[in-house]
Amino acid sequence: MIEVIYTKIEKKIRPCFFLLISMFISVDSYPQAEFRRIVIGVVENYPTVVAAKNQVNAAQADLNSVRWNYYPTPSITHERADQKVAGVLNQTNTYYRLQQPLWTAGRLTAQNEKALGQYQFAENALAEQKLSAALRWLQLWAEFQSAALKVNAYQDSERKHKEYVLQIERRAQEGYSALSDVQLSLSRLSSVQSDLRQYQFNQRQASIKLEQMLKNTLPQKNWKDIDDGWPRNSMAFRHWSPVMAQDLLADITDKHPSIQKAMAAVQSAQADVALAQSRNMPEVYLRGEIRRGDVSGTDRTVYMGLSSSFGAGLSNFSAIAAAQAKVEASQNELEGRRMDVSEIIQSDLQVFQSQSERVTQLEKTFENNRKYLESSERQFLAGRRTWQEIMNIAREEAQILTQIADAKAQTWLSHQRLQIFSQGLDDYLAFHASSPIVRDSQNDYK
């Protein structure tokens, strides 16, 4: 009784939970809708997705073909005897037959179940390829955004280092600094510029990969127009309790296309067992036949008969054992997939929660470092700080921003993946601009 009440409560709570998830997405609705539109185009035109669609069409044709087995089978046979043989009444016979299976020991049902399982397997393989393409795009987009943030950070650091070099050169000209200080400061500037070039290269590489998937150049406009937004601290996923995550994990896992595909494989293997077992039983059929002979004329006959075949050397018994072994293998594969998908979802949840907190901590560190740098610059101008100290602080500032970029990228990517796993890819892509939005302006990331 308690279990039934819990199930009813869970069914009522689960839709509310997913509604809360959508309500706590603090992003602009138009950029999100535009971003999803681009992802839809990428997914639908991805080569492996197109190939999987063709496999679905083939499986649908096979399913339609198997269903024809319930109908009568027409056949025509024409035979001609050797005219040199004496005593043959008809030298030529033509047979027109129509045979209807009456009882097949489950063979027709098993064939239909197998074809249906293969069709569901193909459909879920298509969904799996779509998911893979979407996750691939999101991964590259996160890399691109992370590289862009790092480029901005080191461009700002390069600007500051150039200003420091100019100040040191003026001091050297005035005799307050040694010429070696100028060379050392230029070396520091060169190191920052080297890091900047590396991150610019990473950004170009990610851009090239994105354009390959998009099969077009990336839009030459403000990236904010198609940016899906970085997650804010008010995201519902961050507040998942272990109990809530455990309760929803099984449901989310079973919706994963890889799990659905493995379940379809089990269904197909079970149908193979039923099909192999049916071959050991006789089939009952009804056949109508018209025979036309060149001498005896036309005969019309109706037959009811039995047909049975045990295969070459009773091979049907071996086929049954093989089919049962395949069922066990498919079930083990299903359990393995469940474990893999469960680990992936739990890992994404842990990454999202930990990296969200890390972003907050790093931003506090950056703010303190920024204030310390501003104070050190004033002291440097007053002659109470060395140029090495302010360059070290400026370089540390860029390094903190780099860590923030990595943490933001992991936070955003894990959040998008969790949305897809919980809502399903179709619902994730079917984002409407009218969706409820809660804006958190204090935590907006630049």
Side-chain angles (χ1 to χ4, degrees):
M1 183 65 181
I2 297 176
E3 184 176 348
V4 173
I5 295 174
Y6 175 78
T7 303
K8 291 182 179 180
I9 295 174
E10 183 183 11
K11 289 182 178 179
K12 292 181 180 180
I13 291 177
R14 186 174 299 159
C16 297
F17 176 75
F18 291 123
L19 178 61
L20 286 173
I21 291 175
S22 63
M23 291 180 65
F24 278 104
I25 301 175
S26 346
V27 293
D28 292 327
S29 58
Y30 173 75
Q32 178 123 336
E34 180 69 9
F35 182 82
R36 302 289 170 88
R37 184 187 65 79
I38 293 175
V39 178
I40 290 174
V42 170
V43 168
E44 292 299 327
N45 296 311
Y46 201 62
T48 56
V49 173
V50 175
K53 288 180 181 178
N54 293 330
Q55 292 294 335
V56 171
N57 294 334
Q60 178 66 65
D62 289 339
L63 181 59
N64 294 335
S65 176
V66 167
R67 288 172 177 172
W68 280 106
N69 291 330
Y70 289 96
Y71 293 87
T73 302
S75 63
I76 300 176
T77 304
H78 181 75
E79 299 175 340
R80 185 179 181 87
D82 188 351
Q83 296 180 357
K84 297 178 181 180
V85 179
V88 178
L89 180 62
N90 292 305
Q91 297 294 332
T92 303
N93 286 300
T94 303
Y95 297 89
Y96 302 91
R97 298 186 178 94
L98 191 64
Q99 183 166 314
Q100 171 66 49
L102 299 179
W103 185 75
T104 62
R107 176 178 61 84
L108 296 181
T109 301
Q111 288 178 339
N112 186 69
E113 289 295 324
K114 179 176 176 60
L116 181 60
Q118 290 175 337
Y119 174 71
Q120 292 174 345
F121 183 92
E123 277 198 322
N124 289 300
L126 171 60
E128 189 179 44
Q129 291 300 329
K130 286 185 175 181
L131 176 62
S132 177
L135 295 181
R136 171 65 175 165
W137 172 269
L138 295 176
Q139 175 70 43
L140 292 175
W141 186 261
E143 292 177 5
F144 178 84
Q145 293 283 23
S146 176
L149 292 176
K150 293 175 183 177
V151 167
N152 291 338
Y154 271 85
Q155 283 178 338
D156 183 65
S157 182
E158 180 189 36
R159 178 186 59 78
K160 290 179 179 179
H161 276 73
K162 286 181 177 180
E163 292 177 355
Y164 300 151
V165 169
L166 290 176
Q167 293 175 357
I168 296 169
E169 287 177 344
R170 285 196 297 268
R171 289 196 172 192
Q173 291 173 357
E174 295 172 358
Y176 296 107
S177 296
L179 293 177
S180 60
D181 289 346
V182 177
Q183 296 300 322
L184 289 174
S185 64
L186 289 173
S187 175
R188 294 287 187 91
L189 173 61
S190 178
S191 177
V192 171
Q193 290 174 333
S194 176
D195 291 336
L196 173 61
R197 300 297 179 266
Q198 179 62 46
Y199 293 129
Q200 288 174 333
F201 171 78
N202 294 342
Q203 185 180 17
R204 287 195 299 270
Q205 287 292 98
S207 175
I208 291 172
K209 293 177 181 178
L210 287 170
E211 289 177 346
Q212 287 177 341
M213 291 192 68
L214 188 59
K215 296 181 180 179
N216 199 353
T217 58
L218 291 175
Q220 297 299 316
K221 57 181 179 179
N222 186 1
W223 290 106
K224 290 291 183 181
D225 294 340
I226 56 173
D227 183 9
D228 198 22
W230 300 98
R232 276 63 174 183
N233 293 334
S234 59
M235 288 298 179
F237 288 118
R238 188 177 181 185
H239 302 291
W240 267 16
S241 66
V243 175
M244 184 183 297
Q246 189 64 34
D247 290 341
L248 295 174
L249 187 60
D251 183 58
I252 294 174
T253 300
D254 285 341
K255 292 179 181 178
H256 196 282
S258 296
I259 303 301
Q260 294 293 323
K261 189 178 76 169
M263 293 172 68
V266 172
Q267 177 183 339
S268 180
Q270 290 172 338
D272 279 334
V273 174
L275 187 60
Q277 291 173 339
S278 69
R279 293 194 180 102
N280 287 336
M281 301 295 292
E283 295 186 10
V284 181
Y285 62 87
L286 182 67
R287 186 177 80 240
E289 182 178 288
I290 299 175
R291 182 184 62 83
R292 289 182 180 178
D294 57 350
V295 175
S296 60
T298 302
D299 295 331
R300 292 178 174 83
T301 312
V302 176
Y303 299 93
M304 179 176 285
L306 295 175
S307 175
S308 181
S309 174
F310 295 98
L314 302 178
S315 61
N316 285 354
F317 295 100
S318 298
I320 293 173
Q324 290 174 338
K326 290 180 181 178
V327 170
E328 294 179 2
S330 299
Q331 290 173 339
N332 292 331
E333 177 70 17
L334 173 59
E335 291 304 315
R337 289 293 181 91
R338 277 202 174 99
M339 291 178 61
D340 293 340
V341 173
S342 176
E343 289 176 2
I344 290 172
I345 295 173
Q346 289 179 325
S347 175
D348 284 334
L349 179 59
Q350 293 297 324
V351 168
F352 178 78
Q353 293 173 337
S354 63
Q355 294 304 313
S356 297
E357 295 175 357
R358 184 165 179 255
V359 168
T360 303
Q361 295 168 352
L362 286 171
E363 287 183 333
K364 292 180 180 178
T365 302
F366 171 76
E367 183 63 22
N368 292 331
N369 191 89
R370 183 185 61 81
K371 293 178 180 179
Y372 183 53
L373 177 60
E374 292 175 353
S375 174
S376 298
E377 287 177 339
R378 291 191 295 269
Q379 294 180 29
F380 172 70
L381 294 175
R384 293 194 295 271
R385 285 279 186 181
T386 65
W387 63 269
Q388 292 96 336
E389 290 176 312
I390 61 169
M391 280 194 170
N392 289 338
I393 300 170
R395 186 176 182 83
E396 185 177 353
E397 179 183 69
Q399 291 173 345
I400 295 172
L401 288 174
T402 299
Q403 295 176 18
I404 291 176
D406 288 333
K408 281 185 177 181
Q410 294 182 49
T411 303
W412 179 84
L413 180 59
S414 59
H415 173 261
Q416 301 305 304
R417 290 167 60 93
L418 286 170
Q419 278 190 301
I420 292 174
F421 293 147
S422 62
Q423 300 173 4
L425 181 61
D426 292 338
D427 289 342
Y428 171 83
L429 296 178
F431 178 86
H432 300 289
S434 59
S435 297
I437 301 295
V438 176
R439 185 73 177 172
D440 187 3
S441 59
Q442 289 183 346
N443 293 319
D444 285 355
Y445 296 146
K446 302 293 184 182

